[in-house]
Amino acid sequence: LARPSSIGQPVLLVSSFSRDTPISFVWTGSDYAILWFDAVRGVDFTRVAPDGTIVQPATAVSLPAGTYELSMVHQGDGFGVAYSDADDGIAKFSLLNSVGTPVGAPKPLPRTGITSFGVALTAAGDGYGVAWTDNSVGPSDIFFARLDATGTPVSLTVNVSESASESTAPSVHWSGDRFAVAWLDNRQDPGSMYARYLDSSGLALDMPEGAEDDTSTTSTFVTVRWLHGQFWYVWTSYRQSNADIVLSR
């Protein structure tokens, strides 16, 4: 494959003396919305035109002080954001308007354990699908729920991973008629990437399935996306002692 090349010059979103960590980056249909965590300022939001012009300067977003691990999607005229909250250990959902201002109060995600974290969000119709890590059963499991347009749960909370060992780092995407959830699972040592499908109501359609042919291979950093009529999975695999990027469908 040809090496990607830059179009235009890099754009400085904000000048800060702290470490800025890009968190979530989405296309709105006309520009890009970017949400990230600044160790000093907290959560920042900006919008950038396709040519790199800053449409909206970086603006601090009023989310809980302990916010981290954000996952943002574009929905209608605004955005849905799921995130972890270090202050109380409860993952939450918030609506943002077109300029990144929160609409209403944060809504806790369904919680069955002591803490919930490691969130992933996808737009689904006029609502959302959300996956997160929860320590209610064993070390940690991946759970899923459907949310309506306001972020209110409208389905049962489903234990997607159903593993007695640690499951973390979920990714979720909507195809138009079903969800795919992928995550890192330690049911086999070392950990591997697992995935599972759920129907439009959030009910599981199959059993968790590992993606690595070699069960001695370690996987990290998994992502799932629906593109060109198929679910695509990308993850880091240490198949040959090196960190390789693997694409599967």
Side-chain angles (χ1 to χ4, degrees):
L1 296 177
R3 181 182 296 273
S5 58
S6 298
I7 301 174
Q9 296 299 313
V11 177
L12 178 64
L13 299 179
V14 65
S15 180
S16 173
F17 292 104
S18 66
R19 183 177 67 178
D20 299 324
T21 306
I23 298 295
S24 201
F25 181 85
V26 298
W27 171 248
T28 70
S30 60
D31 58 18
Y32 299 98
I34 306 168
L35 195 69
W36 72 95
F37 176 77
D38 182 300
V40 173
R41 291 162 52 92
V43 178
D44 275 344
F45 174 90
T46 190
R47 295 181 69 157
V48 181
D51 64 359
T53 302
I54 294 179
V55 177
Q56 177 186 328
T59 305
V61 180
S62 180
L63 292 177
T67 296
Y68 69 107
E69 295 182 326
L70 295 117
S71 179
M72 177 177 67
V73 297
H74 180 242
Q75 184 71 290
D77 295 329
F79 305 89
V81 184
Y83 51 94
S84 305
D85 187 344
D87 287 346
D88 60 11
I90 302 174
K92 297 180 174 67
F93 174 91
S94 286
L95 289 171
L96 306 181
N97 65 15
S98 61
V99 296
T101 302
V103 179
K107 294 192 175 184
L109 297 182
R111 183 181 60 158
T112 54
I114 299 173
T115 58
S116 52
F117 57 95
V119 293
L121 186 69
T122 184
D126 59 358
Y128 306 88
V130 63
W132 68 95
T133 307
D134 191 305
N135 66 353
S136 61
V137 183
S140 62
D141 272 292
I142 305 302
F143 284 79
F144 173 90
R146 283 214 66 164
L147 310 177
D148 66 14
T150 70
T152 302
V154 291
S155 73
L156 297 175
T157 298
V158 180
N159 184 337
V160 178
S161 55
E162 295 188 289
S163 175
S165 58
E166 185 178 53
S167 302
T168 59
S171 179
V172 61
H173 215 250
W174 168 248
S175 71
D177 64 2
R178 65 190 186 277
F179 297 92
V181 181
W183 68 94
L184 302 178
D185 197 300
N186 288 329
R187 70 185 68 200
Q188 294 176 325
D189 188 22
S192 295
M193 192 278 275
Y194 274 69
R196 196 172 189 181
Y197 296 121
L198 301 98
D199 68 16
S200 59
S201 67
L203 296 178
L205 295 172
D206 56 4
M207 296 301 294
E209 183 174 351
E212 291 282 9
D213 297 329
D214 183 354
T215 57
S216 66
T217 298
T218 301
S219 304
T220 59
F221 305 114
V222 60
T223 299
V224 58
R225 291 292 182 269
W226 175 260
L227 293 169
H228 306 297
Q230 300 178 85
F231 281 113
W232 295 79
Y233 302 85
V234 179
W235 69 96
T236 305
S237 177
Y238 292 83
R239 296 184 175 198
Q240 300 175 353
S241 300
N242 298 316
D244 295 323
I245 305 300
V246 178
L247 174 68
S248 180
R249 59 183 179 178

